[in-house]
Amino acid sequence: MTHRSDILLEARGVQHAYREDGRTYPVLHGVDLTLRRGEFTLIMGPSGCGKTTLLHILGLMMHPTAGRIELDGVELTGLPDAERTRCRRERIGFVFQRFNLLPILSARANVELALRLRRVPLDGQVGRVLEQVGLADKAHLKPRALSIGEQQRVAIARAVVGRPAILLADEPTGNLDSANADRVLALLRDIHAATGLTTLMITHNERLADVADRVLHMRDGRLTE
Amino acid sequence: MASLAVANLVHRKLRSALSILAVGLGVAMLIVMLGLSHGTLDEVADRIQSVDAELVVLPQHENIIFTGGAAFSEKYRPLIEQVELDGRRCVASVVPVLFDTVRMGGQQQRLFAIDAADLPIFLGPRRLASGTFFEAPLRLAAHLDTLRNAQGYYDPTRVDPAALDAACELLLDSRLALVGGYRVGHTETILGRTFRVVGIVESGVAGRVFCPIQVLQYIKCAGMPWASMFFVKLAPPPTGHEAGYADRCAAAIADRTKARVELKTAYGALLAESFSQIYMYINSASAVSILVCFLFILLTMYTTVLERTREIGILRSLGAGSGYLVREFMAEALIICGSGTAVGIAMAYTAKYTIETVRPLLTVRISPTFLFLAAVIGLVGGIGSALYPGLRAARIDPVAALNFE
């Protein structure tokens, strides 16, 4: 039985529909999800089933059409945009399939950015995280000078450097070859093991099922255990 | 890590350089246009200030820049000389000037026809760069005095042609001499007569071209001692009555002569007033150049938002709020505008040097006011042109922006 205080994130009845040309396209049909602290959860499902939409809603980048989301017992869906942005900045770390690094900044500056946005002192954290992801010697390079695997590791460093409450990873290996994918997965596992960071990863790759503590399946906008 | 704004500017070097250059051009254009228009008029006003007199007597209701011809007959000079204030004469001397226009140094010049004896009043401490002061005109004046009747007229047919020809002398200022390549001994045909350059004086004197008033009066007024305007040197004020003395003298002379009497120090303002229409045009053109400059910055910053939609999406996904994005855009625009203003000021000084070297008769005066104006425009332009793109960036939907190709 799960104690209330063990729950970090809870989504209830989350629905979402896209509107285009006057028509409505439902994507999520009342998703219920509970993430416990320190848990590594994987959501698997085919492309187009609504995984990324769910992740964006949980990461406060989109508003659901209906439903509620609580993080640490605080209801988030009704918060004003500024509060949602603050929560995203301070409590949520994102890793994207396309890395989403700023090309104008070095690897170090990309990682630092997450802390600068929070206005917290750097205190050598950036160097430690870059060391952890194995890129201390390439910290001065800009993303275009890094391999795609290295770019994703920089993105992971940026996501975790601020010690967020939860890490959301959207197909983090989707753009990588198998060697790089394995390395990135190992890195995510290591970080999870070392920090106990609650992690939610989505993928359509069935091969990744064994990296998670818990695997959920999504099909046609519905989650199943 | 340097600010994101700096990183962006460094990353897009060509665009940053072009933006700074565009702002610089706008600022330089503004400073040079204002500096040229005000500088040229101020230089004329300053030259008039060099005359050792306190008042100018002009034809009533006549625009100061068109003052010319024989507006004052011979009766005015004694009228002015006899003006009294508080029971005592207030005029020390009256200096008539007859104007005409000549073409020298590639452009129209106002010819100052003056009495050779009055030359020290016009030259002040300025020295001859070469040649001599008027000499033959003094002899002509003495000759004419022997011919005059009680009213000051003479019969032109009795004038000694040799004395008249000898008196056709010109004094030039050094800037005009430089532009026209004139040297002592150079001859110039003016009003059908051959004038000879006898001296070149340091620049800064009231006129660029001086000739003897007797010669011009002979040519244009059949020898009648008429004048276009007068400079009036006042007698020293009585002790204890110094305040407002020149104004009261001017009022008394105006009352006596019904002419327009102005303080010499007001000449600059009168010139500016005469050129008010031109100033309006110049100010409008300056405003347009600045507007174009602002629109360029606005367009640049707006294009930046479109071009960086994906980057803005990344920042939004990392939790960058509206304030952060607006600040970053503003910082970027302020750096562009600040650097552009500095570049523009440097360009303006370069243009001033170039203009004054190529066209020495023109003066570009860059005053602290113009520099301050340029700095304010740079600052306001930076803030204004970044505000809309910054706010637009802050409203971008992060998910849509991340999917932007």
Side-chain angles (χ1 to χ4, degrees), chain B residues 389-402:
Chain B
L391 290 172
R392 193 178 188 283
R395 285 200 304 269
I396 285 179
D397 172 33
V399 174
L402 285 175

Side-chain angles (χ1 to χ4, degrees), chain B residues 36-64:
Chain B
L36 192 57
S37 55
H38 288 270
T40 300
L41 287 188
D42 287 353
E43 195 261 347
V44 173
D46 285 352
R47 286 196 278 121
I48 294 296
Q49 299 309 311
S50 73
V51 179
D52 184 18
E54 288 83 17
L55 305 178
V56 286
V57 180
L58 304 160
Q60 192 65 268
H61 306 307
E62 189 166 301
N63 189 310
I64 199 165

Side-chain angles (χ1 to χ4, degrees), chain B residues 6 18 58-59 74 84-86 105 165 172 237 245 321 325 329 339:
Chain B
V6 175
L18 287 175
L58 304 160
E74 75 285 354
E84 292 188 354
L85 194 65
D86 302 331
D165 286 343
L172 306 182
Y245 177 69
L325 290 169
F329 274 90
S339 310

